[in-house]
């Protein structure tokens, strides 16, 4: 599918966020380049997940939230009044920390999104889409003989790749990943990381991680959040070898967090 | 020094043994009534169990033999119609309670459901008598089913609520993140994930209402003949047990025991099925 070739996919402008009276994000300015991996790092509670969930407006599910500033996707505010949240979430896929396959078959897990959103016509096209999505998530070879079996029988790593396939099946532009490998063993983690690396040729990826090595391995750019503020952002190599900010350096060298 | 530690240790382990023993005794006491019930039912009722018992109508007063075939049919129909009426309402209400858990309406409905779970079943019978029997001008299968449905709804609504609440919130987020609407997520993802728990709750409730007598006394009323029409009184197992047990006839007493045995076996089987089902809950990463 052809997409407009833009170098900036996503941009936060002076974005602040509150849970009730609790300020979680303060004046975030961040640009996310298209078809690159941007890692959000920082200690627990620093606001990186809140920021991630603001992009596809998953925070809308929480009562008593408030925000100021804006997040721009493809030149349009995700918060604009006539925003169709359904379309927004199709454009911005999400993978969660805990793999959350639906209590359905492997096939239906991937097919459910396209089916509900009427993305394809006909059984054959749907099967092709499911196969394509599973291949892109590097899961096809492992599950092609048991597509009708329950997704809950898969291992944790397979479940997580199934969730990635599920997100890819609705053909998003941006993929948000909230610590996608934190509950997985090292081998499953490596597979997810390889996958992220491959997927960035087609998708803009924003990944939250607590794992510094992971951020260094998979991302092109890294943003360090602390206490709800964006402390430093830059090329991953620069952030990890030559951080400009003392707090960034303290965090990446493991002195706190 | 060592001896003091040793003494303390043996004292602790002695107390531990005694306490464990006491809980064991308590657990045994819980099981004893069930074992005794089974013993009495089998020794008094098994003799009256034969093919006639399941296939024939009750014998006229004074004659021996006959069976309870119409009561089996009656109980089946009563439970079936109660399930058809009650389960959709109860499951929908349970989903509402779980989804809108803190709204005023949800809190009110939850409170009422809890009160209704505690209401003596005879009161439900009287209520349905006043509401359905009086307005229809007759006892009926319909009235009996309504009474059983009134018993079933609060039970199933509350278990459904609990089961829906147990579904991890990540699953809901997964649906919403794919752009599904709230109702689509609930119907397509949350309900299937809670399915085994909800089904278990339904089976337990069905087992419970199948054995209810009091709500049927002045609704389904009882009937010595075959009956399956909604607007006619029907027989049922618990009612027949009650009528036979208070009768002066030896043969009827035996049949009441036999019917009790069959009823408790049905309840047991349903409970076992429920046990098996609940062993397959949602299991994500």
């Amino acid at each position: 599918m052809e997409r407009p070739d833009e170098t900036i996919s996503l941009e936060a402008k002076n974005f602040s966020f509150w849970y009730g009276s609790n300020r979680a994000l303060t004046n975030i300015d961040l640009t996310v380049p298209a078809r690159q991996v941007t890692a959000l790092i920082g200690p627990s509670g620093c606001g990186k997940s809140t920021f991630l969930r603001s992009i596809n407006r998953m925070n809308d599910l929480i009562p008593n939230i408030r925000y100021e500033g804006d997040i721009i996707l493809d030149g349009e505010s995700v918060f604009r009044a006539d925003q169709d949240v359904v379309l927004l979430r199709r454009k911005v896929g999400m993978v969660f920390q805990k793999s959350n396959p639906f209590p359905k078959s492997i096939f239906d897990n991937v097919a459910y999104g396209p089916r509900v959103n009427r993305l394809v016509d006909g059984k054959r096209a749907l099967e092709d889409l499911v196969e394509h999505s599973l291949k892109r998530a590097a899961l096809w070879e492992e599950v092609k003989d048991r597509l009708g079996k329950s997704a809950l029988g898969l291992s944790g790593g397979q479940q997580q790749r199934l969730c990635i396939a599920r997100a890819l099946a609705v053909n998003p532009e941006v993929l948000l990943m909230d610590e996608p490998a934190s509950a997985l063993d090292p081998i499953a983690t490596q597979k997810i990381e390889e996958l992220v690396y491959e997927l960035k040729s087609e998708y803009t990826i924003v990944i939250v991680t607590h794992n510094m090595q992971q951020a260094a391995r998979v991302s092109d750019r890294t943003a360090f959040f602390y206490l709800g503020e964006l402390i430093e952002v830059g090329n991953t190599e620069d952030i990890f070898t030559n951080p400009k900010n003392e707090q960034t350096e303290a965090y990446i060298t493991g002195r706190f967090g | 020094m060592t001896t003091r530690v040793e003494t303390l240790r043996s004292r602790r382990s002695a107390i531990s043994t005694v306490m464990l023993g006491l809980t064991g005794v308590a657990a045994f006491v819980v099981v004893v009534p069930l074992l005794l019930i089974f013993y009495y039912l089998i020794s008094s009722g098994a003799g009256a169990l034969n093919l006639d018992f399941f296939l024939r109508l009750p014998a006229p007063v004074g004659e021996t033999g006959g069976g309870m075939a119409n009561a089996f049919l009656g109980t089946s129909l009563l439970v079936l119609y109660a399930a058809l009426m009650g389960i959709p309402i109860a499951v929908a209400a349970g989903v509402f309670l779980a989804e809108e858990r803190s709204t005023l309406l949800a809190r009110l409905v939850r409170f009422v459901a809890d009160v209704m779970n505690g209401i003596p079943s005879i009161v439900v019978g009287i209520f349905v008598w006043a509401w359905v029997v009086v307005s229809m001008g007759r006892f009926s299968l319909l009235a009996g089913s309504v009474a059983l449905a009134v018993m079933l709804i609060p039970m199933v609504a509350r278990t459904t609520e609990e089961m829906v609440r147990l579904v991890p919130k990540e699953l809901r987020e997964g649906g919403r993140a794919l752009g599904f609407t709230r109702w689509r997520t609930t119907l397509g993802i949350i309900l299937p994930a809670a399915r085994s728990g909800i089904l278990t709750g339904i089976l337990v409730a069905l087992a419970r209402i199948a054995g209810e007598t009091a709500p049927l006394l002045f609704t389904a009323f009882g009937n010595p003949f075959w009956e399956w029409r909604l607007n006619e009184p029907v027989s049922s197992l618990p009612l027949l047990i009650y009528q036979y047990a208070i009768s002066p006839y030896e043969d009827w007493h035996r049949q009441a025991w036999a019917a009790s045995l069959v009823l408790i076996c049905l309840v047991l089987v349903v409970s076992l099925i429920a046990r098996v089902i609940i062993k397959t809950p949602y299991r994500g990463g």
Side-chain angles (χ1 to χ4, degrees), chain B residues 9-191:
Chain B
R9 180 183 292 165
S10 64
R11 203 177 109 91
R12 275 203 310 267
S13 72
I15 292 174
S16 168
T17 309
V18 170
M19 288 304 176
L20 204 61
L22 285 178
T23 56
V25 170
F28 182 69
V29 169
V30 171
V31 184
V32 164
L34 183 65
L35 295 177
L36 284 179
I37 288 171
F38 259 103
Y39 172 74
Y40 277 119
L41 290 183
I42 290 171
S43 64
S44 321
L49 279 181
N50 51 39
L51 211 56
D52 279 356
F53 179 79
F54 292 101
L55 295 181
R56 293 186 56 184
L57 286 177
V61 177
E63 284 179 33
T64 54
M68 293 193 167
N70 60 338
F72 284 105
L73 177 71
T75 285
S76 308
L77 291 175
L78 282 164
V79 172
L80 176 72
Y81 288 129
L84 288 179
M85 281 186 278
I87 290 171
I89 298 173
V91 171
V95 169
F96 174 80
L97 290 181
E99 292 275 319
E100 297 284 331
R101 65 185 64 165
S102 47
T103 58
L104 188 65
L105 181 59
R107 276 183 289 176
L108 192 70
V109 170
R110 190 178 297 119
F111 177 73
V112 170
D114 285 342
V115 170
M116 279 179 69
N117 271 331
I119 284 183
S121 53
I122 188 99
V123 177
V124 173
I126 294 170
F127 158 70
V128 174
W129 174 80
W131 195 45
V132 182
V133 177
V134 170
S135 59
M136 280 176 75
R138 60 197 308 164
F139 301 111
S140 65
L141 167 57
L142 178 68
S145 303
V146 169
L148 294 186
V150 170
M151 304 275 311
L152 175 130
I153 288 171
M155 283 191 265
V156 174
R158 290 292 270 137
T159 48
T160 300
E161 179 194 0
E162 296 302 327
M163 292 306 140
V164 169
R165 278 176 149 188
L166 282 180
V167 175
K169 76 173 195 327
E170 286 82 3
L171 213 52
R172 172 182 308 282
E173 292 184 334
R176 298 304 293 271
L178 280 178
F180 296 168
T181 53
R182 188 169 172 194
W183 71 266
R184 168 83 69 183
T185 308
T186 300
L187 289 188
I189 299 168
I190 306 293
L191 265 187

Side-chain angles (χ1 to χ4, degrees), chain A residues 53 56 58 61 86 89-90 92-94 96 98-104 112-113 116-117 152-153 159 166-167 170, chain B residues 168-181 184-185 187-190 192-195 281-285:
Chain A
R53 286 160 169 269
N56 64 344
M58 284 298 283
L61 305 186
V86 169
R89 290 183 185 148
R90 256 169 56 187
V92 186
M94 189 163 205
F96 297 82
K98 250 185 92 189
S99 62
N100 52 358
F102 300 144
K104 298 172 177 295
Y112 200 30
V116 168
N117 293 314
L152 304 179
Q159 285 189 1
R166 185 176 76 190
V170 293
Chain B
K169 76 173 195 327
E170 286 82 3
L171 213 52
R172 172 182 308 282
E173 292 184 334
R176 298 304 293 271
L178 280 178
F180 296 168
T181 53
R184 168 83 69 183
T185 308
L187 289 188
I189 299 168
I190 306 293
R195 186 178 47 202
Y282 176 80
R283 188 169 59 85

Side-chain angles (χ1 to χ4, degrees), chain A residues 222-243:
Chain A
T222 296
F224 172 61
F225 283 69
Y226 185 56
L227 298 176
E229 292 186 47
L230 177 61
I231 304 295
E232 188 171 354
V233 56
N235 291 330
T236 297
E237 216 181 301
D238 297 337
I239 294 281
F240 280 92
T241 55
N242 189 19

Side-chain angles (χ1 to χ4, degrees), chain A residues 66-116:
Chain A
R66 189 163 67 83
Y67 58 84
E68 277 171 15
D70 211 346
I71 296 177
I72 311 289
L73 175 73
D74 290 342
E76 287 179 321
S77 166
V78 302
F79 299 107
R80 69 181 196 277
D82 65 338
Q83 176 66 264
D84 183 346
V85 182
V86 169
L87 283 178
L88 172 68
R89 290 183 185 148
R90 256 169 56 187
K91 271 206 270 187
V92 186
M94 189 163 205
V95 177
F96 297 82
Q97 177 175 11
K98 250 185 92 189
S99 62
N100 52 358
F102 300 144
K104 298 172 177 295
S105 70
I106 294 168
F107 182 90
D108 284 337
N109 258 276
V110 183
Y112 200 30
R115 212 180 260 151
V116 168

Side-chain angles (χ1 to χ4, degrees), chain A:
Chain A
M1 194 163 286
E2 203 63 38
R3 292 212 191 89
D5 194 335
E6 290 167 10
T7 48
I8 301 296
S9 165
L10 174 65
E11 190 173 6
K13 285 182 174 167
N14 205 21
F15 185 70
S16 299
F17 190 92
W18 288 261
Y19 295 107
S21 57
N22 212 346
R23 189 169 193 157
L25 291 172
T26 307
N27 305 337
I28 305 294
D29 281 298
L30 178 66
T31 53
V32 174
R35 263 150 278 141
Q36 287 193 15
V37 178
T38 301
L40 310 182
I41 62 169
S44 298
C46 69
K48 54 196 188 307
S49 287
T50 300
F51 179 70
L52 196 74
R53 286 160 169 269
S54 297
I55 299 172
N56 64 344
R57 289 185 52 180
M58 284 298 283
N59 286 331
D60 288 11
L61 305 186
I62 303 165
N64 299 323
I65 56 145
R66 189 163 67 83
Y67 58 84
E68 277 171 15
D70 211 346
I71 296 177
I72 311 289
L73 175 73
D74 290 342
E76 287 179 321
S77 166
V78 302
F79 299 107
R80 69 181 196 277
D82 65 338
Q83 176 66 264
D84 183 346
V85 182
V86 169
L87 283 178
L88 172 68
R89 290 183 185 148
R90 256 169 56 187
K91 271 206 270 187
V92 186
M94 189 163 205
V95 177
F96 297 82
Q97 177 175 11
K98 250 185 92 189
S99 62
N100 52 358
F102 300 144
K104 298 172 177 295
S105 70
I106 294 168
F107 182 90
D108 284 337
N109 258 276
V110 183
Y112 200 30
R115 212 180 260 151
V116 168
N117 293 314
R118 300 209 173 76
L119 295 188
V120 289
D121 283 323
K123 194 161 163 270
R124 187 65 233 165
L126 186 63
E127 284 170 1
D128 286 344
L129 178 60
V130 169
E131 179 176 341
H132 185 58
S133 304
L134 285 169
K135 276 179 176 161
R136 280 193 294 183
L139 189 61
W140 174 251
E141 288 303 320
E142 292 160 60
V143 300
K144 64 181 177 189
D145 298 323
R146 48 168 170 155
L147 292 174
K149 295 267 169 61
S150 169
L152 304 179
L154 296 173
S155 73
Q158 289 173 326
Q159 285 189 1
Q160 194 61 302
R161 274 178 285 147
L162 181 67
C163 292
I164 293 173
R166 185 176 76 190
L168 298 181
V170 293
N171 201 31
E173 294 169 26
V174 181
L175 203 52
L176 308 176
M177 305 179 112
D178 194 353
E179 298 183 55
S182 65
L184 302 178
D185 66 60
I187 292 170
T189 300
Q190 193 192 342
K191 281 192 179 154
I192 300 285
E193 288 181 11
E194 285 167 2
L195 188 56
V196 169
Y197 195 81
E198 279 168 28
L199 289 174
K200 75 172 177 182
S201 61
E202 290 178 73
Y203 306 93
T204 302
I205 297 176
V206 184
I207 183 170
V208 165
T209 179
H210 271 122
N211 182 331
M212 230 62 64
Q213 287 79 19
Q214 185 170 73
R217 280 192 299 261
V218 302
S219 72
D220 303 293
R221 282 166 64 81
T222 296
F224 172 61
F225 283 69
Y226 185 56
L227 298 176
E229 292 186 47
L230 177 61
I231 304 295
E232 188 171 354
V233 56
N235 291 330
T236 297
E237 216 181 301
D238 297 337
I239 294 281
F240 280 92
T241 55
N242 189 19
K244 294 187 185 69
N245 187 289
E246 272 175 42
Q247 284 171 320
T248 313
E249 188 181 3
Y251 182 71
I252 60 173
T253 53
R255 266 181 276 148
F256 76 94

